Amino acid sequence: MMIFAFPFLDKAQAVLVHMAPGMPPDYWWVTACVLLILALTATIDAFTAIIPDILIFLGLLAVTGAQGLYVSWGIAAHHLRQAIMAGGLIWIINLAWYRKFCYDALGMGDAKWTMLAVACFGVMPVVYAWGTGAILATIFIGAAWLARCSMTKVTFAPFLFVGLGVGLYAVRFW
């Protein structure tokens, strides 16, 4: 259905609908807002090493509400349950690492970021995001080491966001 005057915007709408199959097609703008929230929080994380809780939870509320009201509450609950399980898995991994080495392996902001991404886009694109993000972060750390730049900490959400783009392409469009 063509709603925009420019074909590019219609194609962008179709891409947004295809990215998040659990979202109602008429609410493609919620998917766009989630991408904006994920990009914004990744940018904030890059500069402050903090992912704002309020943005993540507003995104979760929008995704769950749109799915619940316009698709079904069962599907919304299923996606929210997957999101909570993904966040819990990251928390458990971090807890085990902390007990072994006495410092955090992952930030809990990354867990919250992952929860929003899973709720909107599903598990597989986010699995790709974590794999791609880890590879990109390792390359970044290696390049910084070769340039003799000292780093004490690398924020991961920017790498996750790039990885999410790769994951969405690999899972939904390839």
Side-chain angles (χ1 to χ4, degrees):
M1 175 171 125
M2 192 166 154
I3 64 170
F4 294 112
F6 303 103
F8 170 77
L9 295 177
D10 287 320
K11 289 180 182 171
Q13 176 191 5
V15 166
L16 288 167
V17 168
H18 193 63
M19 273 184 189
M23 293 298 292
D26 291 341
Y27 288 84
W28 56 268
W29 54 271
V30 174
T31 305
C33 288
V34 168
L35 280 173
L36 180 64
I37 289 170
L38 292 173
L40 182 61
T41 55
T43 303
I44 292 169
D45 186 43
F47 291 105
T48 66
I50 295 171
I51 293 180
D53 294 343
I54 188 70
L55 293 175
I56 297 295
F57 289 115
L58 283 174
L60 278 170
L61 180 66
V63 168
T64 304
Q67 290 175 346
L69 291 171
Y70 299 105
V71 179
S72 85
W73 286 108
I75 289 174
H78 174 71
H79 289 170
L80 187 59
R81 184 173 41 251
Q82 285 181 330
I84 291 169
M85 289 172 57
L89 177 64
I90 294 168
W91 181 78
I92 288 169
I93 291 169
N94 188 57
L95 180 66
W97 185 275
Y98 186 82
R99 289 189 183 210
K100 176 75 174 161
F101 299 107
C102 297
Y103 65 92
D104 287 327
L106 304 164
M108 289 301 97
D110 299 329
K112 294 177 282 189
W113 194 97
T114 299
M115 289 173 63
L116 177 55
V118 167
C120 188
F121 303 111
V123 173
M124 284 312 296
V126 179
V127 169
Y128 275 89
W130 274 85
T132 304
I135 291 167
L136 293 173
T138 303
I139 291 169
F140 178 77
I141 292 167
W145 180 79
L146 288 174
R148 302 209 191 280
C149 294
S150 64
M151 290 188 311
T152 58
K153 185 176 179 180
V154 174
T155 57
F156 193 54
F159 300 107
L160 275 176
F161 185 73
V162 173
L164 181 63
V166 171
L168 286 169
Y169 179 76
V171 173
R172 303 280 187 245
F173 300 104
W174 198 344

